[in-house]
Amino acid sequence: MARTVKNTKSPEERRAEAVALQATIAEQVEALRESETWARFLTFAQSFHRYSLGNLLLIFAQCPEASHVAGYRTWQKLNRQVRKGERGIRIFGGRDVRETVENEQTGEEEEQRRVRFFPVSVFDMGQTDLIDEEAGDPADIARQLTGDDPAGIFDAVADYLTGKGWTVEREQIAGGANGYTTTDGTQRVVIDADLSPAQAAKTALHEAAHVILHAEEDHAEYVEHRGIKETEAESVAYIVAGILGLDTSAYSVGYVAGWSNCDTDTVKATAANVLRAAHILADAITITDSPVSVAA
């Protein structure tokens, strides 16, 4: 029998609370925009090269949990050192080259420019460590949750996903990712084994949202629009966890801000998808535990 979370709220009450929670995360993201923490993160985020769709597909084929990817020297400039022995993610780099060729029509020599592509190695942030810890980590805008999962959210989500044909596994994930959902047809959800019970519960909700919203999409669609997809998944986790009494704002607000570029219009634009998935997930893992009245 699938495990569920007992809750005294009716389905109608859960729906009303979901709408309210979706609005609050947009408000909190807006507030974060004015903070020094966001300014530091924005400087950090602007340091990264925008990769082509082809390179993004290569990155996630080799490292599905990748978050921020850069070259060895770029990481050093960002106060991070690639750990010894880490294996690079192979993509294609491009460089403009000039060459002199003969114009077939005029017979004159002309200089032409073209792009020469060659394989290069990049590394995910999870493959690096801070060089100067006292300088702080500008990427740290989402604080890991601590504490327990008294409602049993993780177990309920695991049973829900298992019932849908997915496997849920706890294993150590190299780097900074808390979890990931495979897109290669294996239907695996992996949650980092070292997470606190509260963080594991939130991450399970996040990955379940990916299963509901994005599992049937073309992988290239997810990669190309990853910011929106991650905003949607984390918003669902925040809403469902909130309905079940787990406040994930310390983590979720920063996470959503990072992936949405702190754009509240993006957060609001995802509302329809987010609320649809939140309702599906909350209804699936919750059982209404109404108080029983006993006649005197």
Side-chain angles (χ1 to χ4, degrees):
M1 181 178 178
R3 291 165 290 189
T4 53
V5 178
K6 292 184 178 181
N7 193 275
T8 59
K9 300 167 186 172
S10 68
E12 293 74 19
E13 289 172 327
R14 292 199 298 269
R15 278 164 171 70
E17 189 171 2
V19 172
L21 285 166
Q22 201 281 332
T24 65
I25 198 167
E27 293 168 0
Q28 291 181 78
V29 166
E30 179 67 29
L32 181 62
R33 184 200 292 270
E34 307 302 321
S35 71
E36 181 183 347
T37 299
W38 175 251
R40 292 174 63 232
F41 176 79
L42 190 60
T43 300
F44 168 80
Q46 289 172 339
S47 303
F48 293 92
H49 179 71
R50 292 182 63 85
Y51 292 105
S52 67
L53 178 59
N55 272 337
L56 288 172
L57 290 170
L58 284 172
I59 289 167
F60 291 111
Q62 297 168 75
C63 185
E65 68 275 16
S67 57
H68 294 88
V69 172
Y72 188 92
R73 299 299 181 191
T74 299
W75 279 124
Q76 289 181 324
K77 293 176 182 177
L78 293 171
N79 189 35
R80 303 194 75 95
Q81 178 64 52
V82 175
R83 288 189 293 271
K84 185 177 181 179
E86 289 287 352
R87 185 175 182 178
I89 302 166
R90 300 293 279 176
I91 63 172
F92 286 100
R95 180 183 295 123
D96 284 340
V97 295
R98 297 175 182 270
E99 57 186 6
T100 302
V101 298
E102 181 180 312
N103 188 309
E104 294 181 356
Q105 295 180 340
T106 66
E108 298 179 356
E109 291 189 341
E110 297 178 350
E111 187 179 74
Q112 290 186 352
R113 295 176 58 188
R114 65 184 179 87
V115 179
R116 176 176 294 168
F117 293 96
F118 50 91
V120 297
S121 288
V122 293
F123 300 87
D124 180 53
M125 186 169 69
Q127 297 174 285
T128 70
D129 294 314
L130 279 174
I131 296 172
D132 180 4
E133 294 189 5
E134 291 185 0
D137 185 356
D140 188 18
I141 59 171
R143 301 191 305 276
Q144 291 277 341
L145 304 178
T146 60
D148 297 324
D149 173 24
I153 295 172
F154 180 89
D155 289 338
V157 175
D159 286 355
Y160 165 74
L161 291 173
T162 300
K164 294 292 183 181
W166 291 71
T167 59
V168 180
E169 302 168 2
R170 296 292 302 270
E171 61 184 50
Q172 288 189 326
I173 300 175
N178 294 322
Y180 61 90
T181 296
T182 61
T183 57
D184 58 1
T186 56
Q187 292 192 298
R188 294 172 62 236
V189 168
V190 181
I191 310 294
D192 188 79
D194 295 331
L195 299 181
S196 71
Q199 183 70 34
K202 186 226 66 74
T203 302
L205 290 169
H206 177 105
E207 301 305 332
H210 277 312
V211 170
I212 294 170
L213 289 170
H214 310 134
E216 299 301 320
E217 294 180 346
D218 181 75
H219 180 53
E221 168 73 13
Y222 164 77
V223 171
E224 188 172 9
H225 302 288
R226 193 181 182 200
I228 292 174
K229 310 303 181 183
E230 292 298 326
T231 295
E232 289 178 339
E234 190 63 23
S235 296
V236 171
Y238 170 80
I239 289 169
V240 178
I243 290 172
L244 301 179
L246 177 62
D247 181 4
T248 71
S249 56
Y251 185 89
S252 295
V253 173
Y255 191 96
V256 169
W259 283 108
S260 67
N261 291 321
C262 224
D263 182 1
T264 52
D265 287 340
T266 297
V267 179
K268 293 173 183 176
T270 65
N273 269 351
V274 165
L275 291 173
R276 175 173 65 85
H279 297 330
I280 291 172
L281 188 52
D283 290 348
I285 68 173
T286 306
I287 183 171
T288 300
D289 187 24
S290 302
V292 177
S293 300
V294 179

